Amino acid sequence: MLRKSFLALLTMLLASVILTACATDDSTNDNDANGDSAAEEKETASKEDSNGKEASIRVIKHAMGETEIEGTPERVVTLYQGATDAAVAMGIKPVGIVESWVEKPVYNYLRDDLDGVPIVGLETQPNLEEIAKLDPDLIIASKLRHEEIYEKLSQIAPTVAHETVYEFKETVELVGEAMNMAEKADEVLAAWDNRVADFKTKVQKKLGEKWPLNVGLLNFRADHARIYFTSFAGIVLNDLGFERPENQREDVWGIKLTSKESIPEMNADIFYIFMSDDEAVHQTYEEWTSHPLWKNLDAVKNDQVYLVDEVAWNMGGGILAANLMLDDIYDRLGLEE
Amino acid sequence: MKDYVSIRNKSGLISFQLHKKFLYVLFMLVLFSSFIIVLCLSIGSSFISPIEVVKYLFGFGSGEHDFILHTLRMPRVFLGFMVGAALGVSGLILQGIIRNPLASPDIIGITGGASVGAIIFIVYFMGTISLKWLPLAAILGAGIVSIFIYALSWKNGVTPIRLVLIGIGVAAAMNAIVTIMIVISETAVTTKAYLWLTGSLYGGNWEDVYLMLPWIIVFIPLTLFFSKTVNAKELGDDVATGLGVRVQWVRLSLLLISVALAGSAVAFAGGIGFVGLIAPHIARMLAGRMFGGLVFISALVGGSIVVLADVMARTAFLPLDIPAGVFTSGIGAPFFIYLLYRNRHNIR
């Protein structure tokens, strides 16, 4: 009897695993089908309108597919820090934003421009009910953070998503496209390109042979240190023409160093260090920088070690933050803009 | 025997006795759970009157709450209830077969296995494969690791103590793997991984509810097949063998059910902790020690705990919506310490 029931149990277990797998398959297909039919409906709708209004419906391609946006949105909710930053840069005041990582609830550098804007929750788990209450007509999200709630966001308002959260120039483009402000976006980006060009000529003139500098982007944590390669700050530094030391050129986010023996790995001409304002983190920083190996690093020998603001250099992730970074870099290299 | 009601089919395959008082407790608990569900559907960023909610549930609602109730709150509450029920029953089974009040899916490696499955998915496949497949990765992880634990514990049969010791060892190894994976990946991925490990019902949708449902309706009733043998097993392996229980078969079957339940729960809600530990204890306080009845009670208690934790998570710090796992652990950890204390001092 028991052997029988055990067999029955095993069969059921197998069956339910298979069922689950199939069900997932089916439902994905279902969704696709729904998506298609919805899209078709909209298409026909726009064709009906085509006599007068077709120009006002724009199709935006983004990380989660294509989204149709009608006219110029006025009530936008931004769901990641970089998008909030980009909106402010373009003179837009969102109707809802997510809480900042530090300096909660809004980064100091954005606080004046975002006075009174309601917070709709955490970047990782924005509160859907709060968003719905704001009755937005556009949501700007990130696939990295919001993939699983994309469908729900789309039910609230047309939602466009960027692949990541730190590609600040692409974020500006996406916000520009979605908000029907492509020209303004180009303007913001052109201003950035001008500054970059100015920086490159001036730094070349001042440093001559020594340029381009190898830059090390360091971050200390409570129990380890990190070297960032590609990241928000990494992208900005790359734009500006800084190079990474040979051992740091891999196309990954960076590495974690858990032992002080790895300090020589950090070696570069110039260090920018950012870290959180925390007792344990300062402790790690003290320990690592008082280690004998630290003194052998080129940047330390040349006195080119700079502690920088973590919001501008890492947490902000937008075009305004990038500009703040650039201000900082001009300053510290003793260059006049 | 007047105080008992026996439930038994002709062949005697399903057979358990229920105390009359138990029926009263069950009735009250069903009432309580329904009350909780309606309450949790009412509360949120905006309050919807419970009467309105009940009307909506029975199909008489007006369309105005469609989005909030149907799309946002209902799947989340139902999914939460099922997850809690699955964890509660899974914990009850484990505490029964291991005969240790501290056993739970978190402790003997099932949750650990699911975590490894999920984290591997998040670190290596997120972005390329749709997140819809994450639950499958978690269930596979739980299944593989449990088979591994069982195989390692085998030595002319499996004894509970070996199962626990090896389970704890493997759980530690799984934690180590999770830590390594988190260390080698970038911040954005780590954020996602931590969120999953804490356990959250955020973003739960109807698809998840329909996928979770079969696990509940298959495996929870299945445990009833074993209720009489579990009662005998509570007396110890030797006595149970003497009473005619085929100890190894029963243990393996129950373990599989427990893995299926905990695995599916973890798959859809992440590492929601301590529910599998607490729910059976509360159930025993309410309804005594007969396994058959405890299955239902544990399911209802577990479900209510998770739904309550989730409603706290999404309303306590408005507008923030934080992971429900924070609350289950917040309640669960002190309870665990209380259990240790009580065990040690033998307060009954």
Side-chain angles (χ1 to χ4, degrees), chain A residues 51-211:
Chain A
N51 298 332
K53 277 191 182 170
E54 199 176 23
S56 71
I57 292 182
R58 294 164 297 121
V59 178
I60 314 279
K61 272 192 189 167
H62 56 90
M64 296 294 298
E66 289 183 0
T67 301
E68 291 184 358
I69 297 172
E70 205 179 332
T72 301
E74 277 162 4
R75 302 179 60 80
V76 57
V77 171
T78 51
L79 294 187
Y80 64 97
Q81 312 302 336
T84 308
D85 172 307
V88 172
M90 294 167 62
I92 303 161
K93 190 169 182 179
V95 294
I97 57 175
V98 285
E99 189 179 73
S100 58
W101 299 113
V102 292
E103 299 178 352
K104 291 174 186 179
V106 182
Y107 293 133
N108 291 332
Y109 79 97
L110 295 173
R111 224 167 253 188
D112 290 342
D113 294 298
L114 294 173
D115 189 35
V117 176
I119 302 288
V120 295
L122 304 168
E123 181 173 319
T124 47
Q125 288 204 354
N127 190 326
L128 294 163
E129 291 186 24
E130 293 287 332
I131 299 174
K133 263 205 296 197
L134 294 171
D135 191 26
D137 50 17
L138 175 68
I139 298 171
I140 296 172
S142 157
K143 182 180 177 192
L144 182 71
R145 304 266 191 240
H146 312 115
E147 183 180 346
E148 53 191 348
I149 55 165
Y150 180 78
E151 295 290 321
K152 288 178 182 167
L153 289 172
S154 297
Q155 279 176 269
I156 300 174
T159 305
V160 295
H162 189 269
E163 191 74 39
T164 66
V165 290
Y166 50 77
E167 291 275 0
F168 64 100
K169 284 187 284 188
E170 289 175 25
T171 298
V172 170
E173 282 167 14
L174 182 71
V175 174
E177 237 186 301
M179 291 293 291
N180 203 8
M181 293 173 72
E183 277 173 31
K184 181 72 191 170
D186 290 343
E187 201 180 294
V188 169
L189 290 175
W192 168 253
D193 289 340
N194 286 339
R195 289 196 76 190
V196 171
D198 178 74
F199 172 80
K200 278 183 176 166
T201 27
K202 286 184 179 148
V203 78
Q204 178 80 57
K205 204 183 274 174
K206 171 150 186 179
L207 295 181
E209 285 281 292
K210 282 195 226 152
W211 181 255

Side-chain angles (χ1 to χ4, degrees), chain B residues 150-167:
Chain B
Y150 193 82
L152 280 181
S153 320
W154 187 270
K155 191 179 174 188
N156 297 322
V158 169
T159 54
I161 187 74
R162 279 180 72 85
L163 201 60
V164 173
L165 288 178
I166 290 178

Side-chain angles (χ1 to χ4, degrees), chain B residues 99-138:
Chain B
R99 295 200 301 136
N100 184 320
L102 300 182
S104 81
D106 319 325
I107 292 167
I108 71 154
I110 301 176
T111 317
S115 305
V116 171
I119 300 297
I120 289 178
F121 185 92
I122 290 173
V123 171
Y124 291 109
F125 301 109
M126 195 173 73
T128 46
I129 300 179
S130 164
L131 275 180
K132 282 183 183 129
W133 294 97
L134 181 60
L136 189 69

Side-chain angles (χ1 to χ4, degrees), chain B residues 116 120 137 142 173 177 214 249 264 272 275 290 303:
Chain B
V116 171
I120 289 178
I177 296 177
W249 277 116
S264 58
I272 287 193
V275 180
M290 293 307 270

Side-chain angles (χ1 to χ4, degrees), chain A residues 265-293:
Chain A
E265 294 283 317
M266 294 173 167
N267 200 26
D269 300 329
I270 184 167
F271 283 162
Y272 292 110
I273 304 173
F274 61 88
M275 55 191 172
S276 359
D277 193 14
D278 177 281
E279 190 72 27
V281 172
H282 287 298
Q283 180 79 27
T284 318
Y285 172 73
E286 290 299 324
E287 280 172 26
W288 284 63
T289 53
S290 56
H291 194 274
L293 286 171

